[in-house]
């Protein structure tokens, strides 16, 4: 089975639910063997058509112009131009859903996270044991084909670190903690949200669907970009203003302890809502703290986090979701809105200010529980 940063939900990405028009794929890799493996994997799905192959980005550029593919699979290291440089130019000039092929090494993890920040939809581990290692690739291609990447042309730049309005600087310590969940498209989304949070912002805990090695690289990438201090969460770690802690993944979910102020709690266990780490686990652990929490659900496929967000709202917490227009995949936020987990769908560039508005409000008595 292929290893991906995201786990497609079979109920929403199965070939049987795809459109009748074949998904046109361009394969870009300097290895003829890898290109053959990718082609062989994709050929098993009658709703996917490999329309061209390229051994390096210069060939790929011409193939994109000539064939207008719906999805591109792209190697990271290639002659003439590396895959990341090609991806930057592609997303700037002709945004197209891209699935990166990368090794799960430390360097590969850094490259994968950078690719997702640039605009790639997913990253798949390079096959090591023949095309059997790419058995799930067709499903990832279906998911990528439905992704909203055109919006990247108008991607707003993050706020400069340390810059905050007078409103955001009035955050009362330990009054609220923010829980954020994200999946497909979450790397870029979280960068845009967290780089807008001032240094004295509220404690923030994040569950992002990615493998353990990628999450470590993601935290290391975010920390110098942000005014807040970003790191992978550790067990029993106190939460304080100005800090962001990200679920470590692997065998662990991230949750909050029941005492106030809460601490990070790492829980070993099976997948929940199809994921480990699971957004639902994080959100449900916030429910005992009621109106002292803020719940935010960003772009992602499937429904992980939607029901947990509803429970947070019913406990009195303000809840926000990313809107359809700015979501790479409007899955998790869509379900949340449909079940009444939130009535506030915001563009990505407005989510940080909404978080800070809620966290700048002085809390008084516990509000009445919301019922949808």
């Amino acid at each position: 089975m292929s290893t991906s940063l995201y786990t497609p939900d079979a109920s929403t990405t199965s070939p049987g639910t795809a459109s009748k028009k074949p998904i046109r794929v361009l394969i870009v890799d300097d290895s003829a063997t890898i290109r053959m493996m990718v082609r062989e994997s994709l050929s098993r799905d009658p709703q996917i058509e490999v329309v061209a192959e390229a051994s390096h980005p210069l060939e790929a550029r011409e193939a994109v112009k000539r064939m207008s593919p719906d999805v591109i699979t792209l190697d990271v290291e290639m002659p003439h131009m590396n895959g990341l440089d090609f991806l930057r130019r592609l997303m700037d000039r002709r945004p197209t859903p891209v699935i990166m092929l990368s090794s799960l090494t430390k360097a590969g993890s850094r490259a994968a996270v950078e690719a997702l920040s640039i605009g790639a939809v997913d990253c798949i581990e390079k096959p090591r044991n023949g095309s059997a290692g790419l058995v799930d690739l067709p499903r990832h291609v279906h998911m990528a084909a439905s992704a909203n990447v055109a919006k990247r042309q108008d991607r707003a730049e993050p706020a400069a670190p340390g810059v905050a309005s007078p409103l955001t600087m009035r955050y009362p310590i330990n009054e609220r903690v923010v829980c954020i969940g994200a999946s497909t498209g979450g790397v870029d989304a979280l960068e845009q949200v967290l780089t807008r949070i001032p240094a004295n912002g509220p404690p923030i805990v994040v569950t992002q669907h990615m493998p353990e090695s990628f999450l470590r690289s993601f935290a290391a990438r975010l920390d110098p970009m942000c005014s807040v201090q970003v790191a992978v969460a550790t067990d029993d770690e106190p939460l304080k203003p100005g800090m962001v802690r990200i679920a470590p993944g692997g065998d662990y979910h991230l949750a909050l302890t029941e005492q106030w102020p809460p601490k990070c709690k790492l829980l070993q266990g099976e997948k929940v809502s199809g994921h480990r780490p699971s957004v639902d686990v994080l959100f449900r652990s916030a429910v005992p703290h009621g109106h002292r929490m803020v719940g935010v659900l960003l772009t992602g496929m499937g429904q992980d986090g939607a029901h947990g967000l509803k429970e947070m709202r019913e406990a009195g917490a303000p809840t926000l979701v990313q809107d359809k227009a700015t979501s790479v995949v409007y899955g998790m936020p869509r379900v949340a809105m449909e079940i009444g987990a939130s009535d506030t769908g915001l563009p990505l560039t407005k989510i940080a200010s909404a978080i800070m508005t809620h966290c700048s409000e002085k809390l008084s008595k516990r509000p009445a529980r919301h019922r949808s």
Side-chain angles (χ1 to χ4, degrees):
M1 180 175 290
S2 58
T3 300
S4 165
L5 270 71
Y6 310 114
T7 304
D9 183 339
S11 65
T12 59
T13 61
S14 62
T17 62
S19 64
K20 293 182 180 179
K21 185 179 178 181
I23 299 171
R24 297 161 54 82
V25 177
L26 165 64
I27 301 170
V28 186
D29 200 295
D30 63 329
S31 166
T33 301
I34 295 294
R35 294 199 305 272
M36 178 193 68
M37 290 180 183
V38 173
R39 183 174 65 249
E40 183 177 298
S41 174
L42 296 180
S43 68
R44 299 189 183 104
D45 189 326
Q47 293 183 336
I48 296 176
E49 177 186 2
V50 176
V51 295
E53 298 180 23
S55 61
H56 57 76
L58 300 183
E59 287 184 354
R61 182 179 61 188
E62 296 306 313
V64 169
K65 293 178 182 177
R66 186 176 71 254
M67 304 305 298
S68 297
D70 300 313
V71 176
I72 298 172
T73 67
L74 179 63
D75 187 16
V76 174
E77 294 296 333
M78 291 179 292
H80 305 296
M81 180 192 300
N82 70 44
L84 295 178
D85 288 339
F86 175 76
L87 179 64
R88 287 188 187 93
R89 298 186 185 190
L90 178 73
M91 300 310 294
D92 181 56
R93 301 171 186 176
R94 192 167 183 162
T96 304
V98 172
I99 298 174
M100 302 298 292
L101 295 179
S102 173
S103 61
L104 288 182
T105 61
K106 185 175 181 180
S109 296
R110 288 196 300 267
V113 171
E114 184 175 357
L116 290 166
S117 175
I118 294 167
V121 174
D122 201 353
C123 186
I124 302 292
E125 181 184 7
K126 272 202 166 188
R128 290 172 290 182
N129 302 309
S131 59
L134 293 172
V135 64
D136 286 337
L137 182 57
R139 189 183 299 176
H140 292 279
V141 167
H142 279 276
M143 179 273 291
S146 66
N148 172 24
V149 295
K151 75 176 186 69
R152 300 299 178 98
Q153 299 175 88
D154 303 318
R155 182 182 186 273
E157 289 301 315
V163 175
S165 70
L167 172 65
T168 64
M169 301 303 287
R170 292 201 300 269
Y171 172 68
I173 292 176
N174 279 344
E175 287 291 344
R176 272 190 167 139
V177 172
V178 180
C179 296
I180 303 178
S183 186
T184 315
V187 167
D188 174 65
L190 285 165
E191 285 183 6
Q192 292 218 43
V193 171
L194 296 178
T195 52
R196 289 179 165 87
I197 302 295
N200 68 332
I204 298 175
V205 283
V206 177
T207 289
Q208 161 73 45
H209 294 158
M210 286 200 292
E212 183 178 7
S213 62
F214 292 97
L215 287 163
R216 288 195 300 268
S217 294
F218 183 38
R221 173 184 170 84
L222 272 174
D223 187 51
M225 297 172 62
C226 298
S227 297
V228 288
Q229 193 258 329
V230 184
V232 169
T234 58
D235 193 43
D236 205 38
E237 182 178 17
L239 289 171
K240 300 177 182 178
M243 64 187 292
V244 175
R245 290 298 180 263
I246 298 177
D251 295 331
Y252 295 96
H253 297 285
L254 174 61
L256 300 176
T257 57
E258 292 189 7
Q259 78 269 23
W260 187 265
K263 297 180 180 180
C264 293
K265 186 177 182 180
L266 301 186
L267 301 174
Q268 284 188 300
E270 298 299 318
K271 292 182 178 180
V272 175
S273 303
H275 297 277
R276 187 178 58 233
S278 166
V279 182
D280 272 328
V281 170
L282 175 61
F283 284 178
R284 284 172 175 147
S285 72
V287 169
H289 302 299
H291 71 306
R292 290 182 178 272
M293 310 302 295
V294 177
V296 183
L297 194 56
L298 302 177
T299 174
M301 181 172 48
Q303 60 181 6
D304 184 32
H307 292 277
L309 191 69
K310 184 177 182 181
E311 293 177 27
M312 287 184 68
R313 188 183 188 195
E314 290 174 345
T319 57
L320 313 167
V321 303
Q322 187 174 349
D323 68 2
K324 182 177 181 180
T326 63
S327 292
V328 172
V329 177
Y330 189 60
M332 289 153 45
R334 174 185 59 79
V335 175
M337 293 291 280
E338 288 176 350
I339 67 174
S342 178
D343 56 13
T344 306
L346 295 174
L348 186 57
T349 54
K350 294 185 177 181
I351 288 177
S353 61
I355 289 172
M356 293 310 303
T357 296
H358 285 301
C359 292
S360 298
E361 299 167 346
K362 188 70 176 179
L363 297 182
S364 53
K365 64 180 181 179
R366 180 184 177 96
R369 291 170 64 90
H370 168 83
R371 294 294 182 185
S372 58

